[in-house]
Amino acid sequence: MPYTPRPIDTSRVELPPPVAALIEELARNNHEVWARGRLREGWTWGPRRDDRRKTHPQLVPYDELPESEKQYDRNAAIESLKTLLGFGWRLEPVADGAPVASPAGTDAGLPAGATAARAAGLRRAGQPLVAYDVVTEGLARWPADVPLRQLQAMVLADLGCPEEALRVLEPLERETRDGEAALEETLGVVARVYKDLALASRQPARRCAWLEKARAAYAAAFARTGGYWTGINAATLAVLGGHTRAARALAADVAARCRARLEGETAAAERYWLLATLGEAALVGGRHAEACDWYARAVAAAPADFRSIASSRRNAKLIAEHLGLPWKTVAASLPLPTVVVFSGHMLDRPQRPRPRFPPALEPAVARAIAERLDGMGPLVCYGSAACGSDLLFLEAALARRHEAVVVLPYRADGFRAHSVDLVPGWGARFDAALAHAQVLPPVSNQRTTFGGTYYDFANQVLLGLATLRARQLDTRLVGLAVWDGRRGDGTGGTAATLALWNRYGVEWQWVDLGALRRGTAPRARLRPPGRAPSRRARDPGSVRALLFADVRNFSTMPEETVRPFVTHVLGLAGRLAERPALAPIGRESRGDGFYLVFSTARAAGRFALALSNGLARVDWTARGFPADVVMRIGLHAGVVYRVHDPITARMVHVGTHVNRAARIEPVTPPGQVWASQEFAALAALERAREFGCEYVGQIPLAKGYGVFPMYRLRG
């Protein structure tokens, strides 16, 4: 009889929030253990074949696995931890309240190298704040350790603190002697920080000066170590600075080194960069056709490494535009996937009076979705996971080894009960799809009886995240729907989603359920769904942007600064709130901080940056304050409810999303503005040009609220 896996039921076990980075490291270890075993058995890397060769396409380093395969190992790690907790084991604190499962804290028995390896793993896993804590504790024991100091600078740069990173790097650069293996890494990070400062500068003269410093740092690293990655960066910055002859000589030297290195054994990841560097060197030399050939070979070596391909495209575009080379043909040699956002009808419930998606149509709809995907090339697919169209889309994407990203309106267990298990047999398919896909944190923690606004919000976040990803990759965003052509049953459904797509100018095509029911060929042309359906019941919730802010170290300020604080610090925020373009629709002040509500993410982001920049321009010592009066500002977006507060006799905004917004500000580095994934999605959807949202990592929020993806706002 067929095998049906029956794992221990851990659905009611909750993991403590700080374990996200541990899960990533356990997943990495799971894969390495599996790979070692396969290699001992005589397996090797290769595509699946029908012959008897023992080849396996996932027999590669963990970092080279597609995201869907990494998720297998993560799920195994998660279930192992949950099983331990379910059997009564505990995660005991080791120091300062940090649980054993938390990567924060350094074991007294670990050498400096192991501490650096732990911090590097946390950085790879998207945990820069926790990595910074590990590095800081390690440096307290080994203050002169070079790898720890390098990592400290890298993490500071990741967190958007280039000035602090330079303060770490400059003495490290002076201390590093010729010939040390760490030198190239140190100078490379120095150059990267200089480049970050250049890109952040609004003054052309300062921008050019920082770019020149970055070029000099890359060139110094290459001259002293011969590393090809620093050499090609120096050549690229030289050509952008107008030093074409020197740039081409340097690029030729780098190309010769890369060719020599390619003659030996190289890992897949390094092979990509060697080939891409040869492409960049040819482009610097003005040899457009040769560059395209090298780039195409690089992509063939790592076709799913979209981050690396996107990085190569950014440099290639700068060079091509500066030298007047045809960018379109260069871009064609560095193809990136199309981003597809999906919406579609659920399978009909058994009691549905008017058929829309009857179960008998499932094979036809699955074929139609597969045909659409097969005609689009490489894809990154965004969707939900309800029974019917959503899961058919996910299954088709995963079967074709496309990256699949799932956004649910609320927690998976509740969503499965309300949107999957209502049709028998789809629960197991839901579990299988989510095990292979990248599942983002749900938009909300729970389902409410006022479901329409939450579903609308989830659809906005889904579209916003797909838009953000398309911008990051500099690629197309298209929509695909399974729709019957009617207005739909209510808000949050397919018709309302297509109206949302039309509002934001998304190009989309659809599989026509009506045509399939009639037995005619499904159409693929575009068609607007008209007005969104009206709500069946009054939903009091509204999607709003939320801002929390407070001043660092306010509790340690002298008592006599209280009145000046209110006048100058809160006064600045109050004056900004009076500007029509920045005005919030709700305000609350609480001691040294305040909470504001905005109708759009764009308005909230503009206010946050105006406040942060305004505070940075004030001479606080002249007003009797410490020199570093800085605010931590956190932003979020979600469904909130406007109610009458019987204590203050005022209208206020409340809801679970207000609680999440309040947990972001305490973990934000002073002087910066951090935002949730939901806020970043809505800002992308609103085309906020005044600021961008840069991914920081998976960050544990304050008071054990959970681990969530966070972004940093940059003006």
Side-chain angles (χ1 to χ4, degrees), residues 43-49 53-60 401:
W43 289 71
T44 185
W45 178 87
R48 287 194 174 94
R49 299 176 181 271
R53 290 180 57 205
K54 297 173 71 173
T55 60
H56 201 291
Q58 270 70 59
L59 199 53
V60 296
R401 297 187 178 276

Side-chain angles (χ1 to χ4, degrees), residues 111-249:
T115 301
R118 175 186 283 186
L122 291 166
R123 182 171 176 254
R124 286 194 305 268
Q127 293 279 346
L129 281 179
V130 185
Y132 183 79
D133 290 340
V134 171
V135 169
T136 301
E137 293 183 21
L139 286 171
R141 300 182 61 208
W142 304 287
D145 187 76
V146 170
L148 283 173
R149 293 162 72 189
Q150 288 175 337
L151 277 166
Q152 185 184 35
M154 291 178 194
V155 173
L156 284 168
D158 293 341
L159 292 171
C161 306
E163 294 85 358
E164 291 86 345
L166 278 182
R167 282 196 283 271
V168 174
L169 287 166
E170 287 172 343
L172 182 60
E173 181 184 356
R174 290 193 297 268
E175 296 166 19
T176 308
R177 297 185 301 276
D178 289 349
E180 283 197 18
L183 178 62
E184 183 181 22
E185 192 72 29
T186 299
L187 291 174
V189 180
V190 169
R192 175 226 163 145
V193 172
Y194 287 152
K195 189 190 294 185
D196 288 346
L197 288 166
L199 297 176
S201 176
R202 299 181 181 181
Q203 301 176 17
R206 292 191 66 186
R207 181 186 179 94
C208 290
W210 283 122
L211 282 175
E212 174 56 25
K213 287 175 74 71
R215 184 206 63 76
Y218 280 129
F222 179 69
R224 295 163 73 179
T225 67
Y228 66 88
W229 71 275
T230 52
I232 197 60
N233 274 288
T236 295
L237 291 177
V239 80
L240 296 178
H243 310 293
T244 306
R245 181 177 296 179
R248 289 178 173 173

Side-chain angles (χ1 to χ4, degrees), residues 159 184 225 247 271 323 356 442 445 520 584 594 599 645:
L159 292 171
E184 183 181 22
T225 67
R271 185 171 181 81
L323 296 178
R356 183 178 61 189
N445 286 332
T520 57
F594 49 88
S599 57
D645 184 346

Side-chain angles (χ1 to χ4, degrees), residues 20 25 119 152 214 216 231 299 342 380 484 516 553 583 622 624 628 690-691 695:
E25 290 307 302
Q152 185 184 35
V299 171
F342 181 83
V380 176
D484 66 349
L516 288 174
N553 297 333
D628 57 345
E690 299 86 352
F691 59 86
Y695 182 62

Side-chain angles (χ1 to χ4, degrees), residues 537-558:
R538 182 175 178 272
D539 188 339
S542 301
V543 177
R544 298 290 184 237
L546 313 170
L547 181 153
F548 275 80
D550 80 349
V551 173
R552 182 185 66 172
N553 297 333
F554 174 79
S555 60
T556 64
M557 291 183 185

Side-chain angles (χ1 to χ4, degrees), residues 150-453:
Q150 288 175 337
L151 277 166
Q152 185 184 35
M154 291 178 194
V155 173
L156 284 168
D158 293 341
L159 292 171
C161 306
E163 294 85 358
E164 291 86 345
L166 278 182
R167 282 196 283 271
V168 174
L169 287 166
E170 287 172 343
L172 182 60
E173 181 184 356
R174 290 193 297 268
E175 296 166 19
T176 308
R177 297 185 301 276
D178 289 349
E180 283 197 18
L183 178 62
E184 183 181 22
E185 192 72 29
T186 299
L187 291 174
V189 180
V190 169
R192 175 226 163 145
V193 172
Y194 287 152
K195 189 190 294 185
D196 288 346
L197 288 166
L199 297 176
S201 176
R202 299 181 181 181
Q203 301 176 17
R206 292 191 66 186
R207 181 186 179 94
C208 290
W210 283 122
L211 282 175
E212 174 56 25
K213 287 175 74 71
R215 184 206 63 76
Y218 280 129
F222 179 69
R224 295 163 73 179
T225 67
Y228 66 88
W229 71 275
T230 52
I232 197 60
N233 274 288
T236 295
L237 291 177
V239 80
L240 296 178
H243 310 293
T244 306
R245 181 177 296 179
R248 289 178 173 173
L250 182 56
D253 187 359
V254 171
R257 294 169 189 261
C258 288
R259 288 191 182 94
R261 196 174 183 103
L262 277 171
E263 293 176 0
E265 289 288 328
T266 56
E270 186 184 15
R271 185 171 181 81
Y272 171 87
W273 284 113
L274 288 167
L275 293 166
T277 299
L278 285 165
E280 193 166 331
L283 207 58
V284 168
R287 301 185 303 278
H288 166 259
E290 181 187 338
C292 291
D293 180 62
W294 285 117
Y295 282 138
R297 291 173 64 182
V299 171
D305 190 353
F306 301 138
R307 174 183 286 187
S308 297
I309 296 170
S311 177
S312 298
R313 278 175 66 106
R314 283 191 290 271
N315 273 7
K317 188 174 184 180
L318 289 170
I319 298 167
E321 290 179 346
H322 185 82
L323 296 178
L325 301 173
W327 164 240
K328 284 188 177 180
T329 50
V330 177
S333 66
L334 288 166
L336 284 172
T338 299
V339 177
V340 180
V341 61
F342 181 83
S343 181
H345 290 306
M346 294 173 57
L347 208 66
D348 288 350
R349 304 186 187 199
Q351 68 272 25
R352 183 179 176 87
R354 184 180 184 183
R356 183 178 61 189
F357 186 174
L361 286 185
E362 180 193 331
V365 172
R367 283 194 301 272
I369 291 173
E371 289 169 2
R372 302 292 193 276
L373 297 187
D374 288 339
M376 293 183 182
L379 302 174
V380 176
C381 301
Y382 281 74
S384 188
C387 68
S389 302
D390 284 349
L391 281 172
L392 291 175
F393 171 72
L394 285 177
E395 290 172 345
L398 292 168
R400 286 153 181 78
R401 297 187 178 276
H402 297 317
E403 182 180 343
V405 183
V406 175
V407 179
L408 299 179
Y410 47 93
R411 289 171 55 119
D413 50 357
F415 183 82
R416 174 175 169 167
H418 294 105
S419 299
V420 180
D421 287 338
L422 52 90
V423 178
W426 285 79
R429 296 169 72 171
F430 173 84
D431 293 340
L434 265 60
H436 290 76
Q438 179 185 358
V439 184
L440 300 181
V443 171
S444 300
N445 286 332
Q446 57 189 341
R447 181 176 184 262
T448 72
T449 55
F450 302 111
T453 300

Side-chain angles (χ1 to χ4, degrees), residues 630-685:
V630 290
M631 273 195 166
R632 299 175 297 196
I633 303 174
L635 295 166
H636 180 53
V639 178
V640 298
Y641 303 89
R642 190 168 182 265
V643 300
H644 180 265
D645 184 346
I647 304 298
T648 63
R650 294 188 300 110
M651 299 300 291
V652 296
H653 292 82
V654 299
T656 58
H657 282 279
V658 176
N659 298 334
R660 187 189 295 187
R663 303 299 188 268
I664 296 172
E665 167 264 310
V667 302
T668 300
Q672 294 193 28
V673 181
W674 277 16
S676 68
Q677 183 169 260
E678 289 79 5
F679 180 93
L682 264 60
L685 206 56

